[in-house]
Amino acid sequence: MEYLNAAGRIPLLTANEEILLGRSIQAMQRLLESNPDGPYSRQERGIMHRGRKAKDRMVTANMRLVVDVSKKYRRQCDHLSQEDLLQEGTFGLIRAAEKFDPERGYKFSTYAYWWIRQSMARAVTTYDRSIRLPVHVAERIVKLRAWIASRMERYGPPTLDQCAEFLEIDREQARDYLQHMQGISSLDRCAMGRDGEASALIDMRSEEHTSELQSRFGISYAVFCLKKK
């Protein structure tokens, strides 16, 4: 993919370059806020020209950050492609370049990461789900999914209480999050139980079925079908 190749070829910025570019961008942004439609004097046209070049440089030098974040969200998407996520992440990166204040002393990548992640999270909740979720809920689901996957390797599937404790929420909220992890699926869909008889997923909810459901339906069903209160 051209985006990925380009991201790897462009050199990173030094701390001093980030400060100089950030100052040029902020000068342009202040001018746009005070006089968005022009006309501009010769000096102001110079500010605009330097600001646009600085923003292009800031964005292109940080494209690999968009790629890194997109890989984390790609595993959570059913319909959005990596190209879609890269596009949304780039919108966030551009916004970060426009808002970045170099005088505060932090690195641009630290600041941009939040904007990129927010942009991708909004895209996932808006376009990748049949039911739209608030951004903070989608981010918790991403966090929970990653935690479950890492925990499964050592301890097996967690209980509902452990999921709730990890997110510092109550059991019912945790159950809702786990349900959203699996997307839209009918609980009347039949699955084969240990006795060889077909059962609806909503009825297969005891913890003794966890390993079987894990192998048949993946982590999300294994956790979701834990025993209810």
Side-chain angles (χ1 to χ4, degrees):
M1 184 192 301
E2 182 59 29
Y3 192 107
L4 301 178
N5 294 332
R9 290 195 301 265
I10 299 171
L12 298 173
L13 300 173
T14 65
N16 189 55
E17 286 175 326
E18 285 188 356
I19 292 173
L20 295 176
L21 293 174
R23 287 172 178 170
S24 294
I25 296 170
Q26 286 302 299
M28 177 184 68
Q29 292 299 117
R30 287 192 295 269
L31 180 56
L32 287 173
E33 290 174 4
S34 62
N35 186 14
D37 301 320
Y40 301 120
S41 66
R42 182 176 180 179
Q43 181 181 8
E44 290 172 333
R45 288 196 297 271
I47 292 174
M48 295 292 293
H49 177 71
R50 289 189 294 272
R52 292 191 188 100
K53 288 186 64 176
K55 186 167 77 170
D56 288 345
R57 179 78 177 92
M58 187 80 86
V59 169
T60 55
N62 286 276
M63 289 195 302
R64 69 190 71 191
L65 182 58
V66 177
V67 175
D68 289 341
V69 179
S70 73
K71 292 176 182 178
K72 299 176 183 179
Y73 278 94
R74 182 67 190 94
R75 294 191 292 268
Q76 320 304 328
C77 297
D78 295 321
H79 307 298
L80 288 176
S81 66
Q82 187 172 20
E83 289 81 0
D84 295 326
L85 290 172
L86 291 173
Q87 176 176 286
E88 295 297 330
T90 301
F91 292 150
L93 178 60
I94 292 171
R95 186 60 175 158
E98 294 171 346
K99 301 286 288 183
F100 177 62
D101 184 354
E103 310 306 329
R104 295 194 174 185
Y106 44 74
K107 289 175 61 67
F108 175 72
S109 58
T110 303
Y111 181 74
Y113 180 85
W114 185 87
W115 284 95
I116 295 168
R117 189 182 68 176
Q118 183 190 57
S119 184
M120 289 187 187
R122 289 187 184 278
V124 170
T125 58
T126 302
Y127 305 116
D128 196 61
R129 294 180 179 273
S130 300
I131 299 176
R132 184 172 181 178
L133 300 175
V135 172
H136 74 280
V137 172
E139 291 182 346
R140 281 186 173 183
I141 290 174
V142 169
K143 180 180 178 182
L144 179 61
R145 187 190 298 270
W147 176 74
I148 291 175
S150 64
R151 192 185 186 285
M152 286 280 292
E153 298 176 0
R154 298 183 61 183
Y155 306 110
T159 66
L160 184 60
D161 286 333
Q162 288 171 329
C163 292
E165 181 180 357
F166 172 71
L167 291 177
E168 297 182 345
I169 56 178
D170 61 41
R171 283 171 55 90
E172 290 308 311
Q173 283 182 297
R175 190 186 304 282
D176 290 341
Y177 287 2
L178 292 168
Q179 186 173 6
H180 281 295
M181 279 174 58
Q182 66 199 7
I184 303 301
S185 181
S186 173
L187 292 178
D188 293 325
R189 183 164 64 88
C190 288
M192 191 65 66
R194 288 186 175 181
D195 56 2
E197 297 182 357
S199 303
L201 285 174
I202 196 169
D203 295 325
M204 298 179 67
R205 63 193 184 206
S206 78
E207 294 194 45
E208 67 181 11
H209 290 299
T210 295
S211 60
E212 181 176 347
L213 288 171
Q214 175 193 337
S215 63
R216 291 181 179 273
F217 304 108
I219 294 172
S220 58
Y221 272 124
V223 178
F224 175 65
C225 292
L226 295 175
K227 185 189 294 183
K228 295 187 176 182
K229 291 177 63 177

